[in-house]
Amino acid sequence: MNSTYLVVMAGGIGSRFWPFSRTSHPKQFHDVLGVGRSMLQLTVDRFAGICPPENVFVVTNRDYTQLVQEHLPELPADQILGEPIGRNTAPCIAYASYRIAKRDPQATIIVTPADHAVLREDEFRRLMRLAVEAARANDVLITLGIQPSRPDTGYGYIQYMDEQSLPGGQLHKVKTFTEKPNLELARMFVESGDFLWNSGLFVWRADVIIGAFHHYLSDIAEVFEEGADKLGTAQEEDFISQAYSRCRNISIDYGVMEKADNVYVLPADFGWSDVGTWDSLHRIGHHDEHGNMINGDVLLYDTTGCVIKTPPERLVVVQGLEDYIVAEYDNVLLICKRSEEQRVKEFVADVKAKKGAGYN
């Protein structure tokens, strides 16, 4: 039996990617890269050969279970874990870990977000196999850290210690986690050479992460221990509804990773992006000779450095724009300077307040 399991976290809304990412149809269910596959589909695709299909679990909001089934029709319904409410990544990971541990106490679990991009998949698979082997052989919590290419203030950072590594020397003990820093601090981190971006990718054995919950988030562990016998049965849905009402809203980073003393990081460089913003899409997308990233039926004149993503059935003609976002989906058209994209969340809040819920 292959004891490698995959947990795909697919419950977020991704509001910085509005108007594509909407409450009714979040980013992970879109073909963001224009390759004919949604972010969720691409995420599951890249683990082919690492984890067998019967060991793939997707955790999502119950409102999105139907969407998950549409995008992953080969995934049995009992491998889609529906959350009644969003409670951040710690309860999500606890739910999946307890469910998998009940089925296979020897399980090694990979946890991945559903909406990140990986451009060099062979290198990604090589590193994931290395991390799985290390997690299977050691009582450690592993995260993948991305070699930073610039002082980005949109990511968390991981500092590691060169002198403390697991056998083989490629996984290093984590010294500190730092949430999104200001630009000056981000510059210092990148220049120091011993900081990595926090990718949100984790690898660990089921017993090790459950032990960490007991130690650092005992209130959440207690909730899931009480109902562990109901997981995988007809009583699971009712139990999870009740369990989530008792769980704190807390991330795995803050709740466990920043506190544990057995956290190791594997430095990685496989063309990663969290595609969290329109600018990050521009950075990884294919550009025309004028630096425009285009996805749609578009004619451009005197236009440079833009991100243009529009419905294929609509012809869009753009003249004279420089470094803009032009994004249309359903009933919303966004035109915004790329340098002002951090205001998208503000726009969404205003739209909700002034126009109602049909646009967010």
Side-chain angles (χ1 to χ4, degrees):
M1 179 181 178
N2 188 320
S3 282
T4 304
Y5 288 76
L6 176 64
V7 174
V8 182
M9 298 185 292
I13 293 169
S15 59
R16 289 181 298 167
F17 215 70
W18 185 83
F20 266 80
S21 200
R22 312 280 275 274
T23 305
S24 60
H25 204 97
K27 177 177 68 167
Q28 57 270 27
F29 301 108
H30 286 280
D31 175 14
V32 170
L33 302 178
V35 294
R37 300 283 280 167
S38 68
M39 299 298 278
L40 174 61
Q41 290 168 329
L42 290 172
T43 299
V44 173
D45 290 349
R46 76 176 65 106
F47 286 93
I50 294 173
C51 173
E54 63 271 18
N55 290 3
V56 174
F57 288 81
V58 175
V59 189
T60 191
N61 189 289
R62 284 179 186 168
D63 292 344
Y64 305 144
T65 53
Q66 186 61 43
L67 273 172
V68 172
Q69 286 175 328
E70 288 169 17
H71 283 247
L72 301 172
E74 70 284 359
L75 197 70
D78 75 335
Q79 289 170 228
I80 302 171
L81 309 184
E83 298 182 290
I85 44 176
R87 276 289 185 261
N88 215 318
T89 52
C92 163
I93 288 168
Y95 178 13
S97 300
Y98 273 89
R99 174 73 129 72
I100 290 167
K102 186 180 179 189
R103 173 171 150 182
D104 182 359
Q106 310 304 315
T108 300
I109 301 171
I110 303 166
V111 179
T112 179
D115 54 359
H116 291 186
V118 168
L119 302 183
R120 293 194 293 281
E121 298 209 337
D122 287 346
E123 174 66 359
F124 174 82
R125 291 189 184 103
R126 184 186 75 81
L127 289 167
M128 289 310 307
R129 288 191 178 99
L130 197 155
V132 166
E133 286 170 19
R136 192 165 282 143
N138 299 276
D139 295 349
V140 292
L141 305 169
I142 295 172
T143 182
L144 269 72
I146 308 300
Q147 297 284 1
S149 56
R150 60 190 181 277
D152 199 304
T153 59
Y155 298 140
Y157 285 74
I158 300 168
Q159 185 181 24
Y160 64 94
M161 298 181 274
D162 265 328
E163 66 280 5
Q164 290 195 47
S165 60
L166 290 180
Q170 293 188 62
L171 286 104
H172 303 278
K173 189 155 193 186
V174 170
K175 188 175 181 182
T176 57
F177 284 85
T178 304
E179 287 303 307
K180 299 170 184 176
N182 61 35
L183 187 58
E184 187 183 347
L185 205 53
R187 283 202 183 102
M188 286 170 56
F189 288 171
V190 174
E191 286 165 13
S192 78
D194 60 353
F195 281 83
L196 302 164
W197 287 336
N198 187 351
S199 70
L201 279 158
F202 306 107
V203 187
W204 41 51
R205 285 202 321 270
D207 63 313
V208 176
I209 188 61
I210 287 172
F213 272 106
H214 277 284
H215 198 81
Y216 302 105
L217 290 173
S218 57
D219 53 328
I220 291 177
E222 203 174 285
V223 168
F224 283 95
E225 288 289 346
E226 277 179 26
D229 60 324
K230 297 182 176 69
L231 297 175
T233 74
Q235 299 169 284
E236 178 172 334
E237 190 171 329
D238 286 344
F239 162 65
I240 289 299
S241 295
Q242 174 259 330
Y244 267 66
S245 69
R246 294 168 59 197
C247 283
R248 283 187 279 161
N249 187 322
I250 188 168
S251 72
I252 196 73
D253 293 274
Y254 186 72
V256 172
M257 303 301 277
E258 292 178 18
K259 298 178 173 68
D261 59 4
N262 60 335
V263 178
Y264 284 76
V265 64
L266 175 58
D269 185 6
F270 42 65
W272 172 89
S273 172
D274 71 347
V275 202
T277 63
W278 287 106
D279 202 52
S280 64
L281 179 59
H282 183 268
R283 199 175 284 121
I284 67 165
H286 295 292
H287 300 155
D288 69 7
E289 64 272 27
H290 302 293
N292 300 300
M293 202 230 98
I294 306 158
N295 184 209
D297 189 4
V298 180
L299 289 176
L300 299 183
Y301 301 88
D302 318 315
T303 292
T304 58
C306 289
V307 182
I308 300 172
K309 192 165 173 60
T310 53
E313 66 274 9
R314 187 189 305 284
L315 173 64
V316 176
V317 180
V318 178
Q319 187 276 329
L321 289 187
E322 182 179 345
D323 296 334
Y324 264 78
I325 299 159
V326 179
E328 183 183 1
Y329 179 73
D330 193 18
N331 55 355
V332 177
L333 169 65
L334 170 72
I335 302 171
C336 169
K337 287 182 179 177
R338 270 176 56 205
S339 61
E340 296 287 317
E341 69 160 2
Q342 70 276 8
R343 295 183 63 190
V344 168
K345 280 197 167 185
E346 173 194 331
F347 302 156
V348 174
D350 279 355
V351 165
K352 190 174 181 181
K354 295 173 182 174
K355 299 290 182 182
Y359 300 94
N360 66 313

